[in-house]
Amino acid sequence: MDENSTQIVKRYFKEYYFRFGARIKSPSEIESREFGYLPFAGMMVRHLSFKDIGALHALLLKEAPAGVYCSNSTYEDPTAEMYLKNWKKAALIFDIDADALKQPCKKVHDIWLCKECGRKEFGLRPEFCPSCKSNRLLELSWACPMCLEAAKKETNRLIEFLEFDFGIESSEIKVYFSGNAGYHVSVEKSSFDTLDTRGRAEIADYLTARGLSSKILSSQKFLPTDAGWRRRIAKYIRNLPEIDQSFKSSQYEDRLFELSKFSKKEVETFMNRLIAENSVRIDAMVTTDVHRIFRMPETLNNKTGLVKRECGKELANFDPLREAIAVQDGEQRSRIFVDICPKIELGGESYGPFKSETRDLPLYVGVYIVSKGGGKFLSEQSNVASQNEIVSNRRA
Amino acid sequence: MEFGSDDLAKYPFLPDVGEFVKEMEISVSALSSSDYDKVVRRAEERVVEAIQKREVSYPISDRQPKTEDEKVRLGLRPMVGGAQIEMLSFPISLALVKATKLDHLANIYSLAEAKRAVKLLQSSQSSRYADHELGTVLTIFRRVFGIRVETFKVEHRDDYFTVPVADYVKRASKFHKEEWKLVNKPVTRGKVILDRQDLVRLVGDEIEAMIGQRLKLMPSGTKLPDNLQEIVKKIVRMAPPEPQSPYTIIHIAPENYPPCVRRAIDLLDKGENVPHYGRFLMATYLLSVGKSVDDIVSMFPKAPDFKQNVTKYQVEHLAGLRGSKTRYRVPSCRTLQTHQFCFMDPVKCHQITSPLQYPSRKNSGSTQESLGKNSRPGEAKSNASESRKRSKRDWMKIQHR
């Protein structure tokens, strides 16, 4: 990001923390947690500790950092080096990223960038840059409402696993929009708090069905009234529609008999399909890492300028691209040179696609595009905004 | 629930036994008296069984083997002199083992006693004592291991139990067979359903550790009476030699690296992004096969996000040169699977649990270098199958250097 753009984004962040910083609530046992922040220039600052949330608010006003993080773990000494902190416990956390769900719309809104010649194009990353043949290509993924809806569906499935299989009370499960392209789920208090990395890997594997033995299928020892993955498999087989090509019969028992006649290859194919449709695609790294500092709720995501926001009880009614906008003042506008940007939706309006053009856009849209690496600010508070552009881009 | 003397005889590692023995006020010197002949004989027998069979037998009073075969199979024999002998002989066995000052014998003995306890906990009773015996098992789990075990009714059978998921994974995550993975167990409402065999197996290692810990904390240098000292001498003669130290580094030719490490290197060579876990694996593996930090850093420049200083700092950290000064272990195959960085070779990766066990030494492109003070490089085998045979404990020790 160029210096001018950085300054404008930083001012936007500062305004947010000035006006809405009080929304950032203290985590439980704040004195035992490690905090960190990422400045707009420089390296991540970690191993900080605050006695109360007021001290953090003050820091945010002073620094207006690009990212603010807090450990999901508690430590005896959160400011010590990692190996001297003395880990106590950690909330169970999950990260669901729309990008990992590989939705078909990715090829419409993703962008690749050649690190060698600078070429940028819409679409999935090719193996080599068509211009300079370099293979040093970066992917810039953007999330559209469809991707975010898929992530929401995945989040609902995760919650079902947490409640039904792991017996976690729904009041302990908090769901947040990450501020970028997915959802964070945190289990505040549970018997899993003291699990180490290895134990958490087992939880992650359970959700992603990694290591699920195909012997379960051949043993046929499962019923819809069973427990765990056996129950899921049984229900899946029973509920497959009649027209499904995997089975000739529509009756559960007959389908089990057919299954016993499947070849090894057929079992494998069926297993892969069953896992794809029933598992939860979480980022296992996040769940298993007990020394992570995690983006704090109600702080801004530097990849978008959107807020990491709690979704409330009704996840279905939460619209991240409307409800997570940090500062939405119609008056605040900006002129930006858009290098490349797919069609995006924010605050109920749609913008783009743009390529190598100058645009006057609401400031929060400008912050979004620039933070995504799609362009640079020419000026803030431009007065030459052509309302026609917005109107022409308005959703039908 | 109170434990009866039969329970304490079966599970003499329980803290209640200590109380019981204390109440009896037996002094060490009294053990030379002929009154304790049978107890001392059984104590010696326990240690001898541990050395010879790696398992201590478990005479029990209320169930006799019906046939000679069953007797051999179960290791059952009638209790000589009752529960008290069985119970009192255990602390004396511990004293005997401690007096040998052989650490590896302490390990052998702890494991052999743990096996005995596991078999006893696993053998469900169909006799009139069944209810009491079930109560004992549940109490041991709750009181000694802090696990809230409950019985679970399954049609026509009542030998099932539930264990809270967190208690289960804390223990089962250390086991390698796929049947122990949580994903392959019936899980419902925060509980894992287990049969009795698996329930008991879950705490086997803890029983072993508990006995081992007790041996470790015993004061050394306690003066034993002459008859016991004679037994100690006998045991020392019988004890197997201390196992050879496996502190060696194996140099492996790059073409013989396991497929996961090769994949990470290939991706880096092509300038493609290698996921975090791939980088972690590659660095820890290469450090383990004797590559220097600089060698490893020099493999990264094509990475799209390469920064020399950052990479060097990170590799030095993994090598134990920074921060906590502990060297990071090579991740296990299982961890790599969790992080989707396992590219299994169906033949060569069969039954290995760590990339370090990959049978990489088929060609002569590998040499071995001794590092530890006790290692005997000349004795190291270098045939192709040896690295596969190397036990889990061995490779863990290598990484703990």
Side-chain angles (χ1 to χ4, degrees), chain B residues 317-334:
Chain B
H317 198 87
L318 298 180
L321 303 172
R322 286 179 179 273
S324 61
K325 310 273 181 202
T326 44
R327 191 167 134 183
Y328 278 72
R329 285 190 203 173
V330 178
S332 68
C333 295
R334 194 159 156 180

Side-chain angles (χ1 to χ4, degrees), chain B residues 39 90 140 145 148 160 178 195 239 265 276 285 312 346 383:
Chain B
V39 179
F90 175 72
I140 289 177
F145 304 111
R148 209 159 167 86
Y160 280 85
E178 70 170 13
D195 64 18
I265 296 173
H276 170 84
Y285 180 87
K312 188 154 192 234
N383 61 58

Side-chain angles (χ1 to χ4, degrees), chain B residues 15 17 23-24 34 44 79 108 127 148 157 163 169 173 181 189 240 253 280 296 321 356 360 364:
Chain B
V17 174
E23 278 169 25
M24 289 180 73
S34 59
E44 177 185 350
M79 247 194 219
I108 291 171
S127 69
R148 209 159 167 86
R157 298 205 37 193
V163 171
V169 293
S173 60
K181 282 196 72 65
R189 301 279 176 202
F280 179 72
I296 297 168
L321 303 172
L356 283 174
S360 300
S364 55

Side-chain angles (χ1 to χ4, degrees), chain B residues 73-240:
Chain B
R73 187 166 51 82
L74 297 174
L76 293 173
R77 46 187 212 64
M79 247 194 219
V80 205
Q84 284 200 359
I85 292 177
E86 200 54 20
M87 189 179 9
L88 290 174
S89 59
F90 175 72
I92 299 171
S93 297
L94 293 178
L96 292 173
V97 172
K98 184 75 183 183
T100 66
K101 295 183 181 142
L102 297 173
D103 287 344
H104 69 287
L105 181 63
N107 295 340
I108 291 171
Y109 182 69
S110 309
L111 180 61
E113 280 287 351
K115 279 188 186 168
R116 169 188 181 276
V118 163
K119 280 203 175 164
L120 281 169
L121 284 165
Q122 280 175 335
S123 60
S124 64
Q125 304 281 309
S126 51
S127 69
R128 62 200 158 96
Y129 300 116
D131 280 351
H132 171 81
E133 191 267 350
L134 184 65
T136 304
V137 172
L138 294 181
T139 310
I140 289 177
F141 270 86
R142 288 177 192 174
R143 209 194 286 172
V144 180
F145 304 111
I147 307 177
R148 209 159 167 86
V149 174
E150 275 159 21
T151 52
F152 182 79
K153 290 274 172 224
V154 176
E155 236 175 295
H156 310 305
R157 298 205 37 193
D158 55 6
D159 223 9
Y160 280 85
F161 302 85
T162 63
V163 171
V165 173
D167 288 325
Y168 176 82
V169 293
K170 268 175 203 164
R171 294 159 175 93
S173 60
K174 295 181 186 115
F175 302 160
H176 288 284
K177 284 194 175 155
E178 70 170 13
E179 72 228 35
W180 285 100
K181 282 196 72 65
L182 185 66
V183 72
N184 292 318
K185 289 286 177 209
V187 179
T188 184
R189 301 279 176 202
K191 303 275 172 70
V192 185
I193 304 164
L194 296 173
D195 64 18
R196 192 180 181 117
Q197 304 296 308
D198 284 356
L199 175 77
V200 174
R201 178 69 191 82
L202 206 56
V203 295
D205 290 352
E206 269 162 281
I207 300 175
E208 183 189 347
M210 202 181 272
I211 298 167
Q213 189 63 10
R214 212 161 132 188
L215 272 166
K216 209 172 159 188
L217 295 178
M218 276 174 89
S220 48
T222 307
K223 178 95 177 105
L224 296 180
D226 291 349
N227 61 330
L228 293 192
Q229 281 190 30
E230 280 308 308
I231 299 173
V232 171
K233 280 183 200 157
K234 195 171 147 194
I235 292 169
V236 170
R237 282 197 299 274
M238 283 178 86

Side-chain angles (χ1 to χ4, degrees), chain B residues 175-393:
Chain B
F175 302 160
H176 288 284
K177 284 194 175 155
E178 70 170 13
E179 72 228 35
W180 285 100
K181 282 196 72 65
L182 185 66
V183 72
N184 292 318
K185 289 286 177 209
V187 179
T188 184
R189 301 279 176 202
K191 303 275 172 70
V192 185
I193 304 164
L194 296 173
D195 64 18
R196 192 180 181 117
Q197 304 296 308
D198 284 356
L199 175 77
V200 174
R201 178 69 191 82
L202 206 56
V203 295
D205 290 352
E206 269 162 281
I207 300 175
E208 183 189 347
M210 202 181 272
I211 298 167
Q213 189 63 10
R214 212 161 132 188
L215 272 166
K216 209 172 159 188
L217 295 178
M218 276 174 89
S220 48
T222 307
K223 178 95 177 105
L224 296 180
D226 291 349
N227 61 330
L228 293 192
Q229 281 190 30
E230 280 308 308
I231 299 173
V232 171
K233 280 183 200 157
K234 195 171 147 194
I235 292 169
V236 170
R237 282 197 299 274
M238 283 178 86
E242 197 179 348
Q244 188 189 323
S245 164
Y247 284 53
T248 47
I249 269 189
I250 312 154
H251 291 293
I252 296 171
E255 61 271 25
N256 295 325
Y257 291 161
C260 43
V261 176
R262 282 206 307 269
R263 170 69 70 100
I265 296 173
D266 287 351
L267 287 173
L268 274 183
D269 273 350
K270 286 189 203 151
E272 289 183 27
N273 187 41
V274 182
H276 170 84
Y277 236 85
R279 295 171 188 219
F280 179 72
L281 158 77
M282 187 181 126
T284 49
Y285 180 87
L286 293 176
L287 287 167
S288 285
V289 300
K291 294 270 184 227
S292 70
V293 170
D294 288 338
D295 285 346
I296 297 168
V297 175
S298 70
M299 297 171 88
F300 279 84
K302 286 185 184 167
D305 53 354
F306 176 69
K307 282 182 192 140
Q308 169 112 17
N309 288 348
V310 176
T311 306
K312 188 154 192 234
Y313 177 89
Q314 288 169 337
V315 178
E316 283 176 350
H317 198 87
L318 298 180
L321 303 172
R322 286 179 179 273
S324 61
K325 310 273 181 202
T326 44
R327 191 167 134 183
Y328 278 72
R329 285 190 203 173
V330 178
S332 68
C333 295
R334 194 159 156 180
T335 306
L336 290 167
Q337 282 157 11
T338 298
H339 294 286
Q340 299 176 47
F341 210 82
C342 169
F343 308 96
M344 190 192 276
D345 176 327
V347 179
K348 287 173 118 187
C349 290
H350 184 58
Q351 285 193 338
I352 66 170
T353 56
S354 158
L356 283 174
Q357 293 169 319
Y358 183 76
S360 300
R361 294 189 284 152
K362 205 158 201 165
N363 304 327
S364 55
S366 64
T367 54
Q368 224 176 36
E369 180 184 302
S370 156
L371 287 171
K373 54 179 179 178
N374 297 323
S375 59
R376 300 171 211 166
E379 290 175 19
K381 293 176 193 169
S382 61
N383 61 58
S385 62
E386 198 234 343
S387 63
R388 189 203 302 251
K389 282 184 197 158
R390 198 196 280 182
S391 73
K392 184 184 104 194
R393 286 183 187 193

Side-chain angles (χ1 to χ4, degrees), chain A residues 302-314:
Chain A
N302 53 311
K303 292 170 194 154
T304 58
L306 298 178
V307 186
K308 171 172 172 177
R309 179 147 284 166
E310 191 176 344
C311 303
K313 284 278 157 246
E314 291 300 320

